Amino acid sequence: VKAAAAVLGYEPDHVARALRTRRTFLVGVAVPDLVNEVFPAIVRGLENVLGDAGYTVILANSENDTDRERSSVRAMISRQVDGLILMTSHLRSNLVQELAETQTPLVLVGRNVDRVSVPSVASDDVNGVTDAVAHLAALGHTRIAFIGGPLDISTGRDRYRGYVEGLRVHGLDSDPSIVAFASRFDEHAGTQACQELLAWTRDFTAIVTASDTLAFGCYTALAGTGLSIPAEVSMVGFGGWPSSRRACPPLTTISVPHSEMGCIGGNLLLAQIRDEYERPQVVRLKGQLVVAGSTARRG
Amino acid sequence: VKAAAAVLGYEPDHVARALRTRRTFLVGVAVPDLVNEVFPAIVRGLENVLGDAGYTVILANSENDTDRERSSVRAMISRQVDGLILMTSHLRSNLVQELAETQTPLVLVGRNVDRVSVPSVASDDVNGVTDAVAHLAALGHTRIAFIGGPLDISTGRDRYRGYVEGLRVHGLDSDPSIVAFASRFDEHAGTQACQELLAWTRDFTAIVTASDTLAFGCYTALAGTGLSIPAEVSMVGFGGWPSSRRACPPLTTISVPHSEMGCIGGNLLLAQIRDEYERPQVVRLKGQLVVAGSTARRG
DNA sequence: ATGAAAGCGCTAACAC
DNA sequence: GTGTTAGCGCTTTCAT
């Protein structure tokens, strides 16, 4: 019998098996913006780990839209995914809360939420930005501006907290007139926020940003006013993607191990699926300061 | 009854439906290298179109490995996907040939194959590179080098053909000593190929490359020998991703509409699935020359 | 029209 | 051990 099966190239039907066993070996992955370099790097790590364990990844790109996020997740659940990875969550996400009440295995990657405790892996945002501020302080900067991301996302809030903490540690005044927030983590929003900042004051010698994309946006805004980097303004980003190295000037940044983040996220989900309970695990990955040409000693 | 269903938030089970109807509304997408900026942009377009039509995307990253490609596709087929999108195919891919013999709807995106006719959408590689050569010729360059990609992939072969054709059109000699090929479409391989080229000769004033990644690799190699861009060497890339604009100097390149490519690919697959036969459609998207700081008049 | 029944391909439970 | 059977939740067919 087996010989005949082998000859005919028989392969079991996943669909029928799934109907019977109630396990699809499908994992849903929701991403806010696939074109943002961060996410492909994470997805790659996830896909490796989950793929090796026999799981297949279903991908949904929410385009930073909460409604799309919700409908994608619904669709995934009606597809009976064995687990979910969310990289889209807002701090007060109702969706995450609802999912946590279900028994669906769930892991947050890259972002956390308030109120409800869910296994997650993300960068150590607070300390990363504190390190960025420390680097600038060591170079003699005292008027350090901040371009932040949305405060309703953990990466936005915690990186802002890191900035505030960094100022405090170095005894620098915190001045709301040199802080601006971008509405999204993309280049265009970064340019807008930086233009806003420049319209208020130019009384700063350095800018810390909540992401490399925002920093690139600042590059554009600064070029528009003729301010040169790093001679007049030093810049530090957050993320450390390949393109930050290629930028003009290369961007000093806090480098985050995105691929590792994906691997860990995948493993956390596998643990969840396999019912290895314990309390929900929360992993924070330390970023590393990579000094490049965008920061200089205060002139 | 309906009212009760609505109250209980009933949603039909995709798995059972799929078993009964033999349609999963799942589409498999195979990508060679998710971290290469090109592919996320295409996947985004695909996901939009297919998602709107009720299909869910299964993603597999082959990491440029033929065996992985094959096993991913097998896995997708045993998952009963309704169609496949391959961005991984080699010119003489046995896999594509086998799939074409099956009745599985199949569309190639970004790359074509020889021998077998399958619906596909890709950039117009030959004419794109011909345009790149024309731009350099118009700037007075006569010794134009070429850094190519793998010749067993359509994008590698056709962009090389475009180079040869461009030289011919402008009456320039083709000289094998100013042509080198990278083993993969990534930055590191580009650096290696360019170093090889530089070891042979420096008798050229411009380089055309088969992709932006390869061009960035050349940036590194040229910096290593102290040659400046564009004063001593002009550079043209192919692809036109966001990071080429940010590079140092910004890269003159042939910009390809990747998002549109994804949309068209998705629509081609939907047509296939819906059995709108006709002969296999092959779409070529014209690229557009975007002139930036990496090209200058011959010194 | 509305309702009952068969069956998609597999696995788990049970009988032998 | 090995063989048989029931049934996962849906759709489609057939009978009312």
Short mmCIF file of all heavy atoms in Angstrom, two decimals, chain B residues 148-189:
data_model
loop_
_atom_site.label_atom_id
_atom_site.label_comp_id
_atom_site.label_asym_id
_atom_site.label_seq_id
_atom_site.Cartn_x
_atom_site.Cartn_y
_atom_site.Cartn_z
N GLY B 148 26.71 43.24 -13.87
CA GLY B 148 25.46 42.52 -14.10
C GLY B 148 25.08 41.62 -12.95
O GLY B 148 25.81 41.47 -11.98
N GLY B 149 23.89 41.06 -13.09
CA GLY B 149 23.42 40.09 -12.12
C GLY B 149 23.53 38.69 -12.70
O GLY B 149 24.05 38.51 -13.79
N PRO B 150 23.04 37.68 -11.98
CA PRO B 150 23.12 36.31 -12.45
C PRO B 150 22.46 36.14 -13.82
O PRO B 150 21.35 36.64 -14.03
CB PRO B 150 22.34 35.53 -11.39
CG PRO B 150 22.33 36.39 -10.18
CD PRO B 150 22.37 37.79 -10.68
N LEU B 151 23.11 35.45 -14.72
CA LEU B 151 22.58 35.32 -16.08
C LEU B 151 21.54 34.22 -16.22
O LEU B 151 20.95 34.07 -17.28
CB LEU B 151 23.74 35.09 -17.07
CG LEU B 151 24.63 36.32 -17.25
CD1 LEU B 151 25.85 35.98 -18.09
CD2 LEU B 151 23.85 37.45 -17.90
N ASP B 152 21.33 33.47 -15.16
CA ASP B 152 20.31 32.43 -15.24
C ASP B 152 18.95 32.92 -14.73
O ASP B 152 18.02 32.15 -14.53
CB ASP B 152 20.75 31.17 -14.47
CG ASP B 152 20.99 31.46 -13.00
OD1 ASP B 152 21.11 32.65 -12.62
OD2 ASP B 152 21.06 30.49 -12.22
N ILE B 153 18.86 34.24 -14.53
CA ILE B 153 17.60 34.86 -14.14
C ILE B 153 17.29 35.89 -15.21
O ILE B 153 18.20 36.57 -15.70
CB ILE B 153 17.76 35.57 -12.76
CG1 ILE B 153 18.03 34.53 -11.68
CG2 ILE B 153 16.54 36.40 -12.43
CD1 ILE B 153 18.40 35.14 -10.35
N SER B 154 16.01 36.03 -15.57
CA SER B 154 15.68 36.92 -16.69
C SER B 154 16.15 38.34 -16.44
O SER B 154 16.62 39.01 -17.36
CB SER B 154 14.18 36.89 -16.98
OG SER B 154 13.46 37.47 -15.90
N THR B 155 16.02 38.81 -15.21
CA THR B 155 16.44 40.18 -14.93
C THR B 155 17.94 40.36 -15.13
O THR B 155 18.39 41.42 -15.55
CB THR B 155 16.09 40.58 -13.48
OG1 THR B 155 16.52 39.53 -12.62
CG2 THR B 155 14.60 40.77 -13.32
N GLY B 156 18.70 39.32 -14.84
CA GLY B 156 20.14 39.37 -15.08
C GLY B 156 20.45 39.35 -16.56
O GLY B 156 21.19 40.18 -17.07
N ARG B 157 19.84 38.41 -17.26
CA ARG B 157 20.15 38.26 -18.67
C ARG B 157 19.67 39.46 -19.49
O ARG B 157 20.40 40.01 -20.30
CB ARG B 157 19.52 37.00 -19.23
CG ARG B 157 19.91 36.79 -20.68
CD ARG B 157 19.06 35.71 -21.34
NE ARG B 157 17.64 36.05 -21.29
CZ ARG B 157 16.69 35.23 -21.71
NH1 ARG B 157 17.02 34.03 -22.18
NH2 ARG B 157 15.43 35.60 -21.64
N ASP B 158 18.41 39.87 -19.26
CA ASP B 158 17.84 40.91 -20.12
C ASP B 158 18.48 42.27 -19.87
O ASP B 158 18.62 43.07 -20.78
CB ASP B 158 16.33 40.98 -19.94
CG ASP B 158 15.65 39.71 -20.46
OD1 ASP B 158 16.32 38.92 -21.15
OD2 ASP B 158 14.46 39.51 -20.16
N ARG B 159 18.87 42.51 -18.63
CA ARG B 159 19.53 43.80 -18.39
C ARG B 159 20.91 43.80 -19.02
O ARG B 159 21.37 44.85 -19.51
CB ARG B 159 19.56 44.10 -16.88
CG ARG B 159 18.16 44.40 -16.35
CD ARG B 159 18.04 44.54 -14.85
NE ARG B 159 16.62 44.39 -14.46
CZ ARG B 159 16.16 44.33 -13.22
NH1 ARG B 159 17.02 44.42 -12.21
NH2 ARG B 159 14.88 44.18 -12.98
N TYR B 160 21.54 42.67 -19.07
CA TYR B 160 22.81 42.59 -19.80
C TYR B 160 22.57 42.82 -21.29
O TYR B 160 23.30 43.56 -21.94
CB TYR B 160 23.47 41.23 -19.56
CG TYR B 160 24.76 41.05 -20.34
CD1 TYR B 160 25.80 41.97 -20.22
CD2 TYR B 160 24.91 39.98 -21.22
CE1 TYR B 160 26.97 41.81 -20.95
CE2 TYR B 160 26.07 39.82 -21.96
CZ TYR B 160 27.10 40.74 -21.82
OH TYR B 160 28.25 40.60 -22.55
N ARG B 161 21.52 42.19 -21.82
CA ARG B 161 21.18 42.40 -23.23
C ARG B 161 20.94 43.87 -23.50
O ARG B 161 21.32 44.39 -24.56
CB ARG B 161 19.93 41.60 -23.59
CG ARG B 161 20.18 40.12 -23.72
CD ARG B 161 18.92 39.41 -24.17
NE ARG B 161 19.17 37.99 -24.39
CZ ARG B 161 18.22 37.09 -24.61
NH1 ARG B 161 16.94 37.47 -24.64
NH2 ARG B 161 18.53 35.82 -24.80
N GLY B 162 20.29 44.55 -22.56
CA GLY B 162 20.02 45.97 -22.75
C GLY B 162 21.31 46.77 -22.82
O GLY B 162 21.43 47.72 -23.60
N TYR B 163 22.28 46.35 -22.01
CA TYR B 163 23.59 47.02 -22.04
C TYR B 163 24.24 46.85 -23.40
O TYR B 163 24.68 47.82 -24.04
CB TYR B 163 24.46 46.43 -20.94
CG TYR B 163 25.93 46.75 -21.01
CD1 TYR B 163 26.40 48.04 -20.75
CD2 TYR B 163 26.87 45.76 -21.32
CE1 TYR B 163 27.77 48.33 -20.80
CE2 TYR B 163 28.21 46.03 -21.37
CZ TYR B 163 28.67 47.32 -21.11
OH TYR B 163 30.01 47.59 -21.17
N VAL B 164 24.27 45.60 -23.87
CA VAL B 164 24.89 45.31 -25.16
C VAL B 164 24.19 46.10 -26.27
O VAL B 164 24.83 46.72 -27.12
CB VAL B 164 24.83 43.78 -25.45
CG1 VAL B 164 25.31 43.49 -26.87
CG2 VAL B 164 25.66 43.03 -24.43
N GLU B 165 22.88 46.08 -26.21
CA GLU B 165 22.09 46.80 -27.21
C GLU B 165 22.36 48.31 -27.16
O GLU B 165 22.51 48.96 -28.19
CB GLU B 165 20.60 46.52 -26.96
CG GLU B 165 19.63 47.33 -27.80
CD GLU B 165 19.70 47.00 -29.28
OE1 GLU B 165 20.42 46.04 -29.66
OE2 GLU B 165 19.05 47.72 -30.06
N GLY B 166 22.46 48.83 -25.94
CA GLY B 166 22.75 50.26 -25.78
C GLY B 166 24.09 50.64 -26.41
O GLY B 166 24.20 51.65 -27.11
N LEU B 167 25.09 49.83 -26.15
CA LEU B 167 26.40 50.09 -26.76
C LEU B 167 26.28 50.10 -28.28
O LEU B 167 26.78 50.98 -28.97
CB LEU B 167 27.41 49.02 -26.34
CG LEU B 167 27.82 48.96 -24.86
CD1 LEU B 167 28.91 47.90 -24.67
CD2 LEU B 167 28.31 50.31 -24.36
N ARG B 168 25.60 49.09 -28.79
CA ARG B 168 25.46 48.94 -30.24
C ARG B 168 24.79 50.19 -30.85
O ARG B 168 25.29 50.78 -31.81
CB ARG B 168 24.62 47.69 -30.55
CG ARG B 168 24.74 47.18 -31.99
CD ARG B 168 23.72 46.09 -32.28
NE ARG B 168 22.34 46.51 -32.10
CZ ARG B 168 21.68 47.32 -32.93
NH1 ARG B 168 22.27 47.79 -34.02
NH2 ARG B 168 20.43 47.66 -32.68
N VAL B 169 23.67 50.58 -30.23
CA VAL B 169 22.92 51.73 -30.76
C VAL B 169 23.79 52.98 -30.83
O VAL B 169 23.68 53.76 -31.76
CB VAL B 169 21.68 52.01 -29.87
CG1 VAL B 169 21.06 53.36 -30.21
CG2 VAL B 169 20.66 50.90 -30.02
N HIS B 170 24.67 53.14 -29.83
CA HIS B 170 25.49 54.35 -29.81
C HIS B 170 26.87 54.14 -30.42
O HIS B 170 27.76 54.98 -30.25
CB HIS B 170 25.59 54.89 -28.38
CG HIS B 170 24.27 55.35 -27.87
ND1 HIS B 170 23.40 54.50 -27.22
CD2 HIS B 170 23.64 56.55 -27.98
CE1 HIS B 170 22.29 55.17 -26.93
NE2 HIS B 170 22.40 56.40 -27.36
N GLY B 171 27.02 53.04 -31.11
CA GLY B 171 28.27 52.79 -31.83
C GLY B 171 29.48 52.68 -30.91
O GLY B 171 30.60 53.02 -31.30
N LEU B 172 29.23 52.21 -29.66
CA LEU B 172 30.37 52.05 -28.74
C LEU B 172 30.88 50.62 -28.78
O LEU B 172 30.10 49.68 -28.98
CB LEU B 172 29.92 52.41 -27.32
CG LEU B 172 29.37 53.83 -27.16
CD1 LEU B 172 28.77 54.02 -25.78
CD2 LEU B 172 30.47 54.87 -27.40
N ASP B 173 32.16 50.47 -28.60
CA ASP B 173 32.75 49.13 -28.61
C ASP B 173 32.28 48.37 -27.38
O ASP B 173 32.17 48.94 -26.29
CB ASP B 173 34.28 49.21 -28.53
CG ASP B 173 34.85 49.82 -29.79
OD1 ASP B 173 34.16 49.77 -30.83
OD2 ASP B 173 35.97 50.35 -29.72
N SER B 174 32.03 47.08 -27.56
CA SER B 174 31.77 46.30 -26.37
C SER B 174 33.06 45.60 -26.00
O SER B 174 33.70 44.96 -26.83
CB SER B 174 30.61 45.32 -26.61
OG SER B 174 31.08 44.07 -26.98
N ASP B 175 33.48 45.78 -24.77
CA ASP B 175 34.78 45.30 -24.32
C ASP B 175 34.58 44.41 -23.09
O ASP B 175 34.19 44.90 -22.03
CB ASP B 175 35.64 46.52 -23.97
CG ASP B 175 36.97 46.13 -23.36
OD1 ASP B 175 37.21 44.92 -23.12
OD2 ASP B 175 37.77 47.05 -23.10
N PRO B 176 34.82 43.11 -23.23
CA PRO B 176 34.57 42.19 -22.12
C PRO B 176 35.36 42.53 -20.86
O PRO B 176 34.97 42.13 -19.77
CB PRO B 176 34.98 40.83 -22.67
CG PRO B 176 35.70 41.08 -23.93
CD PRO B 176 35.32 42.43 -24.43
N SER B 177 36.43 43.29 -20.99
CA SER B 177 37.23 43.56 -19.79
C SER B 177 36.58 44.62 -18.89
O SER B 177 37.06 44.88 -17.80
CB SER B 177 38.65 43.97 -20.16
OG SER B 177 38.67 45.29 -20.63
N ILE B 178 35.52 45.26 -19.37
CA ILE B 178 34.81 46.20 -18.48
C ILE B 178 33.40 45.70 -18.17
O ILE B 178 32.47 46.49 -17.96
CB ILE B 178 34.81 47.65 -19.02
CG1 ILE B 178 34.25 47.71 -20.44
CG2 ILE B 178 36.21 48.25 -18.96
CD1 ILE B 178 34.04 49.15 -20.94
N VAL B 179 33.27 44.39 -18.13
CA VAL B 179 31.99 43.78 -17.75
C VAL B 179 32.25 42.74 -16.67
O VAL B 179 33.18 41.94 -16.80
CB VAL B 179 31.32 43.09 -18.96
CG1 VAL B 179 30.11 42.28 -18.52
CG2 VAL B 179 30.92 44.11 -20.02
N ALA B 180 31.49 42.81 -15.59
CA ALA B 180 31.62 41.78 -14.55
C ALA B 180 30.23 41.43 -14.04
O ALA B 180 29.31 42.25 -14.11
CB ALA B 180 32.50 42.29 -13.40
N PHE B 181 30.11 40.22 -13.55
CA PHE B 181 28.80 39.75 -13.09
C PHE B 181 28.82 39.39 -11.61
O PHE B 181 29.74 38.71 -11.15
CB PHE B 181 28.34 38.55 -13.92
CG PHE B 181 28.06 38.92 -15.35
CD1 PHE B 181 29.05 38.78 -16.32
CD2 PHE B 181 26.83 39.46 -15.71
CE1 PHE B 181 28.80 39.13 -17.64
CE2 PHE B 181 26.58 39.82 -17.02
CZ PHE B 181 27.56 39.66 -18.00
N ALA B 182 27.81 39.83 -10.91
CA ALA B 182 27.66 39.49 -9.50
C ALA B 182 26.89 38.17 -9.39
O ALA B 182 26.06 37.87 -10.24
CB ALA B 182 26.91 40.59 -8.76
N SER B 183 27.18 37.43 -8.36
CA SER B 183 26.54 36.13 -8.21
C SER B 183 25.11 36.23 -7.68
O SER B 183 24.32 35.31 -7.81
CB SER B 183 27.36 35.25 -7.28
OG SER B 183 27.49 35.89 -6.03
N ARG B 184 24.78 37.35 -7.06
CA ARG B 184 23.42 37.57 -6.56
C ARG B 184 23.11 39.04 -6.67
O ARG B 184 24.01 39.87 -6.78
CB ARG B 184 23.29 37.18 -5.08
CG ARG B 184 23.88 35.87 -4.72
CD ARG B 184 24.18 35.81 -3.23
NE ARG B 184 23.33 34.87 -2.54
CZ ARG B 184 22.44 35.18 -1.62
NH1 ARG B 184 22.27 36.44 -1.26
NH2 ARG B 184 21.74 34.26 -1.03
N PHE B 185 21.82 39.36 -6.56
CA PHE B 185 21.43 40.76 -6.59
C PHE B 185 21.53 41.36 -5.20
O PHE B 185 20.53 41.81 -4.65
CB PHE B 185 19.99 40.89 -7.10
CG PHE B 185 19.89 40.91 -8.60
CD1 PHE B 185 19.35 39.84 -9.29
CD2 PHE B 185 20.33 42.01 -9.32
CE1 PHE B 185 19.24 39.86 -10.67
CE2 PHE B 185 20.23 42.03 -10.71
CZ PHE B 185 19.69 40.96 -11.38
N ASP B 186 22.71 41.35 -4.61
CA ASP B 186 22.81 42.05 -3.33
C ASP B 186 24.07 42.89 -3.25
O ASP B 186 24.95 42.81 -4.10
CB ASP B 186 22.64 41.12 -2.14
CG ASP B 186 23.79 40.15 -1.97
OD1 ASP B 186 24.89 40.43 -2.47
OD2 ASP B 186 23.57 39.11 -1.33
N GLU B 187 24.13 43.72 -2.23
CA GLU B 187 25.17 44.72 -2.16
C GLU B 187 26.56 44.09 -2.10
O GLU B 187 27.48 44.54 -2.78
CB GLU B 187 24.92 45.56 -0.91
CG GLU B 187 25.26 47.00 -1.12
CD GLU B 187 24.86 47.86 0.06
OE1 GLU B 187 23.66 47.89 0.38
OE2 GLU B 187 25.76 48.49 0.64
N HIS B 188 26.68 43.07 -1.29
CA HIS B 188 27.98 42.46 -1.12
C HIS B 188 28.52 41.88 -2.44
O HIS B 188 29.68 42.09 -2.80
CB HIS B 188 27.88 41.35 -0.06
CG HIS B 188 29.18 40.70 0.23
ND1 HIS B 188 30.24 41.35 0.81
CD2 HIS B 188 29.61 39.44 -0.03
CE1 HIS B 188 31.26 40.54 0.92
NE2 HIS B 188 30.90 39.36 0.42
N ALA B 189 27.64 41.18 -3.15
CA ALA B 189 28.05 40.62 -4.44
C ALA B 189 28.42 41.74 -5.42
O ALA B 189 29.33 41.60 -6.24
CB ALA B 189 26.94 39.75 -5.01
#
